[in-house]
Amino acid sequence: MKISKRLSNIVVLIIAVVLLCFYFWKGQKHTEIIQKDMQFTSGKVVECKVDHRASVWIKYTFLHNNENYIKEQSVNINLGAGNLVINKNFPVVFSNKKPEINEMLIFPKDFERYSLQYPDSLKWVKKLLK
């Protein structure tokens, strides 16, 4: 019985590690795709919600070539701060060839990922970080 429980714990741990590795690989791949033919635009946060794990998610929209794109993105902000970003505009980077691969840039780390300078106009957002 103890061996079975220990084995099941090991299997769960292995699955968690594999999923975590896939998550980071996918994020890195998207960053590389965007960097190949990076375009900029402004996007608007239209919704903010908290999931069952207390993670804050924003939904944003942006326009490119007369097509509206909508995406959800996890953000590292305090739970009560989500409403402060609704209806605010932030830079969005995207792949010109695949605009569905995009990311809203809100925090300094987002800009660093693309070797971009953090704008003074967004310094107010730093107060929202967890």
Side-chain angles (χ1 to χ4, degrees):
M1 186 76 166
K2 288 185 179 183
I3 294 174
S4 177
K5 184 169 180 151
R6 193 174 283 165
L7 182 61
S8 67
N9 286 343
I10 291 171
V11 169
V12 167
L13 181 63
I14 290 171
I15 291 171
V17 168
V18 168
L19 289 174
L20 191 61
C21 289
F22 176 75
Y23 173 77
F24 284 116
W25 174 80
K26 185 178 177 187
Q28 183 62 34
K29 192 74 174 155
H30 279 187
T31 300
E32 290 172 8
I33 290 170
I34 291 171
Q35 286 174 333
K36 284 182 183 176
D37 64 345
M38 186 164 46
Q39 298 291 309
F40 296 88
T41 191
S42 180
K44 184 176 186 175
V45 177
V46 293
E47 185 180 335
C48 186
K49 61 185 176 183
V50 179
D51 70 11
H52 65 282
R53 294 174 294 174
S55 296
V56 179
W57 288 80
I58 58 166
K59 182 185 285 186
Y60 64 90
T61 181
F62 70 95
L63 191 64
H64 174 64
N65 289 339
N66 293 321
E67 189 169 342
N68 195 35
Y69 291 88
I70 299 172
K71 184 176 176 191
E72 288 190 0
Q73 175 176 311
S74 176
V75 291
N76 189 26
I77 60 175
N78 292 313
L79 294 178
N83 289 334
L84 299 175
V85 296
I86 294 178
N87 292 320
K88 299 284 193 270
N89 291 303
F90 296 96
V92 173
V93 291
F94 61 93
S95 165
N96 194 40
K97 292 178 184 169
K98 296 181 179 181
E100 63 276 4
I101 299 177
N102 59 74
E103 181 179 357
M104 181 168 268
L105 307 179
I106 300 176
F107 302 106
K109 275 186 154 183
D110 302 331
F111 286 82
E112 288 169 14
R113 191 170 21 262
Y114 296 98
S115 301
L116 299 170
Q117 188 172 1
Y118 192 69
D120 289 340
S121 61
L122 293 181
K123 287 190 177 179
W124 65 272
V125 178
K126 290 182 184 180
K127 295 182 236 172
L128 307 178
L129 284 168
K130 281 186 180 177

Short mmCIF file of all heavy atoms in Angstrom, two decimals, residues 8 20 31 34 41 45 49 52 56-58 69 73-74 90 92 96-97 103 105-106 123-124:
data_model
loop_
_atom_site.label_atom_id
_atom_site.label_comp_id
_atom_site.label_asym_id
_atom_site.label_seq_id
_atom_site.Cartn_x
_atom_site.Cartn_y
_atom_site.Cartn_z
N SER A 8 2.33 6.59 -6.91
CA SER A 8 1.37 7.55 -7.47
C SER A 8 1.83 8.98 -7.24
O SER A 8 1.64 9.84 -8.10
CB SER A 8 -0.03 7.32 -6.89
OG SER A 8 -0.06 7.63 -5.53
N LEU A 20 4.99 21.69 -16.61
CA LEU A 20 5.69 22.95 -16.35
C LEU A 20 6.73 23.23 -17.43
O LEU A 20 6.84 24.35 -17.93
CB LEU A 20 6.34 22.90 -14.97
CG LEU A 20 6.89 24.19 -14.43
CD1 LEU A 20 5.79 25.24 -14.28
CD2 LEU A 20 7.54 23.95 -13.08
N THR A 31 7.67 33.82 -27.78
CA THR A 31 8.54 34.99 -27.74
C THR A 31 9.44 35.01 -28.98
O THR A 31 9.60 36.05 -29.62
CB THR A 31 9.40 34.98 -26.46
OG1 THR A 31 8.52 35.00 -25.33
CG2 THR A 31 10.31 36.19 -26.40
N ILE A 34 7.44 35.98 -32.13
CA ILE A 34 7.15 37.42 -32.14
C ILE A 34 8.40 38.21 -32.50
O ILE A 34 8.35 39.15 -33.31
CB ILE A 34 6.57 37.87 -30.78
CG1 ILE A 34 5.17 37.29 -30.58
CG2 ILE A 34 6.53 39.40 -30.69
CD1 ILE A 34 4.60 37.49 -29.19
N THR A 41 1.42 47.59 -31.45
CA THR A 41 0.17 48.34 -31.51
C THR A 41 -0.28 48.59 -30.08
O THR A 41 0.41 48.22 -29.13
CB THR A 41 -0.91 47.58 -32.32
OG1 THR A 41 -2.01 48.46 -32.58
CG2 THR A 41 -1.39 46.33 -31.61
N VAL A 45 -7.42 46.58 -22.31
CA VAL A 45 -7.88 45.56 -21.38
C VAL A 45 -9.40 45.71 -21.26
O VAL A 45 -9.90 46.78 -20.92
CB VAL A 45 -7.22 45.71 -20.00
CG1 VAL A 45 -7.77 44.68 -19.02
CG2 VAL A 45 -5.70 45.57 -20.12
N LYS A 49 -10.29 38.92 -14.43
CA LYS A 49 -10.94 37.94 -13.57
C LYS A 49 -9.90 37.16 -12.78
O LYS A 49 -8.73 37.14 -13.14
CB LYS A 49 -11.82 37.01 -14.39
CG LYS A 49 -11.08 36.20 -15.43
CD LYS A 49 -12.04 35.39 -16.28
CE LYS A 49 -11.28 34.65 -17.38
NZ LYS A 49 -12.16 33.92 -18.25
N HIS A 52 -9.77 29.96 -10.13
CA HIS A 52 -9.92 29.19 -8.89
C HIS A 52 -8.60 29.04 -8.10
O HIS A 52 -8.63 28.68 -6.94
CB HIS A 52 -10.49 27.80 -9.20
CG HIS A 52 -9.58 26.94 -10.02
ND1 HIS A 52 -9.46 27.11 -11.39
CD2 HIS A 52 -8.76 25.93 -9.68
CE1 HIS A 52 -8.58 26.23 -11.84
NE2 HIS A 52 -8.15 25.49 -10.84
N VAL A 56 -4.69 36.05 -11.48
CA VAL A 56 -5.41 37.13 -12.14
C VAL A 56 -5.18 37.02 -13.64
O VAL A 56 -4.05 36.88 -14.11
CB VAL A 56 -4.94 38.51 -11.63
CG1 VAL A 56 -5.67 39.63 -12.33
CG2 VAL A 56 -5.14 38.60 -10.12
N TRP A 57 -6.27 37.07 -14.41
CA TRP A 57 -6.23 36.99 -15.87
C TRP A 57 -6.87 38.24 -16.44
O TRP A 57 -7.90 38.70 -15.96
CB TRP A 57 -7.00 35.77 -16.36
CG TRP A 57 -6.29 34.49 -16.08
CD1 TRP A 57 -6.26 33.81 -14.90
CD2 TRP A 57 -5.50 33.75 -17.00
NE1 TRP A 57 -5.49 32.69 -15.02
CE2 TRP A 57 -5.01 32.62 -16.30
CE3 TRP A 57 -5.14 33.92 -18.33
CZ2 TRP A 57 -4.19 31.68 -16.89
CZ3 TRP A 57 -4.33 32.98 -18.92
CH2 TRP A 57 -3.86 31.88 -18.21
N ILE A 58 -6.23 38.78 -17.47
CA ILE A 58 -6.85 39.89 -18.20
C ILE A 58 -7.23 39.41 -19.59
O ILE A 58 -6.61 38.50 -20.15
CB ILE A 58 -5.90 41.11 -18.32
CG1 ILE A 58 -4.60 40.73 -19.02
CG2 ILE A 58 -5.66 41.75 -16.97
CD1 ILE A 58 -3.75 41.89 -19.47
N TYR A 69 -8.42 41.21 -32.64
CA TYR A 69 -7.87 40.04 -31.95
C TYR A 69 -8.17 40.16 -30.46
O TYR A 69 -8.08 41.24 -29.89
CB TYR A 69 -6.35 39.95 -32.16
CG TYR A 69 -5.99 39.61 -33.59
CD1 TYR A 69 -5.83 40.61 -34.53
CD2 TYR A 69 -5.84 38.30 -33.98
CE1 TYR A 69 -5.52 40.31 -35.84
CE2 TYR A 69 -5.52 37.98 -35.30
CZ TYR A 69 -5.36 39.00 -36.22
OH TYR A 69 -5.06 38.68 -37.52
N GLN A 73 -4.55 36.65 -20.85
CA GLN A 73 -3.16 36.55 -20.41
C GLN A 73 -3.12 36.64 -18.89
O GLN A 73 -3.81 37.47 -18.30
CB GLN A 73 -2.37 37.70 -21.04
CG GLN A 73 -0.95 37.85 -20.63
CD GLN A 73 -0.30 38.98 -21.44
OE1 GLN A 73 -0.41 39.05 -22.65
NE2 GLN A 73 0.38 39.88 -20.73
N SER A 74 -2.36 35.79 -18.26
CA SER A 74 -2.17 35.83 -16.82
C SER A 74 -1.25 37.00 -16.48
O SER A 74 -0.27 37.25 -17.17
CB SER A 74 -1.55 34.52 -16.35
OG SER A 74 -1.28 34.56 -14.99
N PHE A 90 -2.45 49.44 -23.28
CA PHE A 90 -1.07 49.06 -23.08
C PHE A 90 -0.49 48.60 -24.42
O PHE A 90 -1.24 48.18 -25.31
CB PHE A 90 -0.96 47.90 -22.07
CG PHE A 90 -1.43 48.25 -20.69
CD1 PHE A 90 -2.72 47.97 -20.28
CD2 PHE A 90 -0.57 48.88 -19.80
CE1 PHE A 90 -3.15 48.28 -19.00
CE2 PHE A 90 -0.99 49.21 -18.52
CZ PHE A 90 -2.28 48.90 -18.13
N VAL A 92 1.06 46.25 -27.22
CA VAL A 92 0.95 44.84 -27.58
C VAL A 92 2.01 44.57 -28.65
O VAL A 92 2.13 45.34 -29.60
CB VAL A 92 -0.45 44.49 -28.13
CG1 VAL A 92 -0.50 43.05 -28.66
CG2 VAL A 92 -1.52 44.69 -27.07
N ASN A 96 3.91 39.69 -37.12
CA ASN A 96 3.22 40.21 -38.29
C ASN A 96 2.63 39.08 -39.13
O ASN A 96 1.55 39.21 -39.70
CB ASN A 96 4.16 41.07 -39.13
CG ASN A 96 3.44 41.89 -40.16
OD1 ASN A 96 2.37 42.44 -39.90
ND2 ASN A 96 4.01 41.98 -41.34
N LYS A 97 3.34 37.95 -39.20
CA LYS A 97 2.85 36.80 -39.98
C LYS A 97 1.75 36.04 -39.26
O LYS A 97 0.88 35.46 -39.90
CB LYS A 97 4.00 35.85 -40.30
CG LYS A 97 5.02 36.43 -41.24
CD LYS A 97 6.15 35.46 -41.49
CE LYS A 97 7.21 36.12 -42.37
NZ LYS A 97 8.43 35.33 -42.41
N GLU A 103 1.36 39.40 -27.27
CA GLU A 103 1.48 39.57 -25.82
C GLU A 103 1.30 41.04 -25.47
O GLU A 103 1.86 41.92 -26.13
CB GLU A 103 2.85 39.11 -25.34
CG GLU A 103 3.03 39.23 -23.85
CD GLU A 103 4.39 38.76 -23.37
OE1 GLU A 103 5.20 38.26 -24.17
OE2 GLU A 103 4.64 38.90 -22.17
N LEU A 105 2.15 44.08 -23.14
CA LEU A 105 3.28 44.47 -22.30
C LEU A 105 2.80 45.45 -21.25
O LEU A 105 2.38 46.55 -21.57
CB LEU A 105 4.38 45.10 -23.16
CG LEU A 105 4.86 44.29 -24.37
CD1 LEU A 105 5.92 45.07 -25.13
CD2 LEU A 105 5.37 42.94 -23.96
N ILE A 106 2.90 45.01 -19.99
CA ILE A 106 2.41 45.85 -18.89
C ILE A 106 3.51 46.15 -17.89
O ILE A 106 3.67 47.28 -17.45
CB ILE A 106 1.22 45.17 -18.17
CG1 ILE A 106 0.07 44.93 -19.16
CG2 ILE A 106 0.74 46.01 -16.99
CD1 ILE A 106 -1.11 44.18 -18.56
N LYS A 123 4.83 53.68 -15.25
CA LYS A 123 5.41 53.50 -13.91
C LYS A 123 4.35 53.32 -12.84
O LYS A 123 4.59 52.68 -11.82
CB LYS A 123 6.36 54.65 -13.59
CG LYS A 123 7.65 54.54 -14.37
CD LYS A 123 8.69 55.51 -13.92
CE LYS A 123 9.96 55.25 -14.73
NZ LYS A 123 11.03 56.13 -14.41
N TRP A 124 3.16 53.86 -13.03
CA TRP A 124 2.07 53.71 -12.07
C TRP A 124 1.68 52.24 -11.89
O TRP A 124 1.17 51.84 -10.84
CB TRP A 124 0.85 54.53 -12.49
CG TRP A 124 0.20 54.06 -13.76
CD1 TRP A 124 0.52 54.45 -15.02
CD2 TRP A 124 -0.87 53.12 -13.89
NE1 TRP A 124 -0.28 53.81 -15.94
CE2 TRP A 124 -1.14 52.97 -15.26
CE3 TRP A 124 -1.61 52.37 -12.99
CZ2 TRP A 124 -2.13 52.13 -15.76
CZ3 TRP A 124 -2.59 51.51 -13.47
CH2 TRP A 124 -2.85 51.41 -14.84
#
